[in-house]
Amino acid sequence: QIFFKINYSNNYFYYNRSNYSFNFWYIMTKLSSLIAGIIFGIGLTISGMVNPQKVLGFLNIFDAWDPSLMFVMVGAIIIFSPLHFIFKRKSRPIFAENFIVPTKKNIDKNLIIGAAMFGAGWGLTGLCPGPAISSLSFLNTSVYLFVLFMFVGFYLGNFIQRWKKLV
């Protein structure tokens, strides 16, 4: 049996998913997410973005500014840009039915408040969600507290959004 039936129409490869008794594509989606997350976490650790002092040094432009994290951003742009250019032409991702693209394009009160809260948290602690989760492996109590309250904030934000819809 042929492993993949490939249809070249519509400028993408279509893999016939009905040939498998187990959910191969579900497993591949989760596996590719796991591998991407591991690569992302390793990159955060190597670059120093999991070190709150390094991040705070980068954000502190008025005192002892540390511009080294700018190279992390430039490196990410260099890798992301050609891949984005290639994949944005595809009509669907490899392991999913469609791309998940935000439909909301306007800047509203919730976006401004959320961005301000995120920025305040990042500026006060030197951690944002990705590096915080990567930092859990360092067994630092303050990071555990940050992640705990980060999830409390996620759930509280969802609760407030649902409550506003009911009222």
Side-chain angles (χ1 to χ4, degrees):
Q1 182 180 11
I2 298 174
F3 189 69
F4 295 117
K5 289 183 181 177
I6 301 175
N7 179 1
Y8 293 100
S9 64
N10 199 12
N11 196 21
Y12 68 87
F13 297 114
Y14 174 73
Y15 304 116
N16 186 350
R17 298 177 182 197
S18 62
N19 291 341
Y20 304 101
S21 59
F22 64 98
N23 202 337
F24 176 79
W25 296 106
Y26 177 80
I27 293 169
M28 290 305 294
T29 300
K30 299 303 178 190
L31 183 62
S32 64
S33 296
L34 175 66
I35 291 168
I38 290 170
I39 292 169
F40 182 70
I42 291 170
L44 288 174
T45 304
I46 291 171
S47 68
M49 288 193 71
V50 296
N51 180 356
Q53 298 308 322
K54 182 102 169 147
V55 174
L56 290 173
F58 175 72
L59 295 174
N60 185 3
I61 59 173
F62 297 113
D63 194 18
W65 185 50
D66 179 7
S68 61
L69 289 184
M70 197 176 319
F71 294 106
V72 175
M73 288 185 242
V74 170
I77 291 168
I78 289 170
I79 298 296
F80 173 76
S81 296
L83 292 174
H84 177 70
F85 181 75
I86 292 167
F87 285 109
K88 78 177 184 180
R89 294 181 170 183
K90 304 293 181 192
S91 60
R92 54 173 280 203
I94 296 172
F95 297 126
E97 292 297 322
N98 55 4
F99 288 106
I100 299 172
V101 180
T103 56
K104 198 172 179 182
K105 305 269 187 215
N106 59 336
I107 297 173
D108 62 358
K109 179 180 69 171
N110 289 342
L111 177 65
I112 292 170
I113 292 170
M117 291 175 73
F118 177 86
W122 193 28
L124 290 170
T125 63
L127 288 169
C128 64
I133 291 171
S134 295
S135 297
L136 288 174
S137 63
F138 297 140
L139 305 174
N140 186 338
T141 309
S142 60
V143 173
Y144 285 125
L145 286 172
F146 177 86
V147 171
L148 172 71
F149 285 107
M150 179 180 73
F151 281 105
V152 168
F154 290 159
Y155 288 112
L156 186 61
N158 284 330
F159 175 77
I160 291 170
Q161 290 294 332
R162 288 187 196 134
W163 180 73
K164 286 170 89 176
K165 287 181 183 178
L166 294 175
V167 173

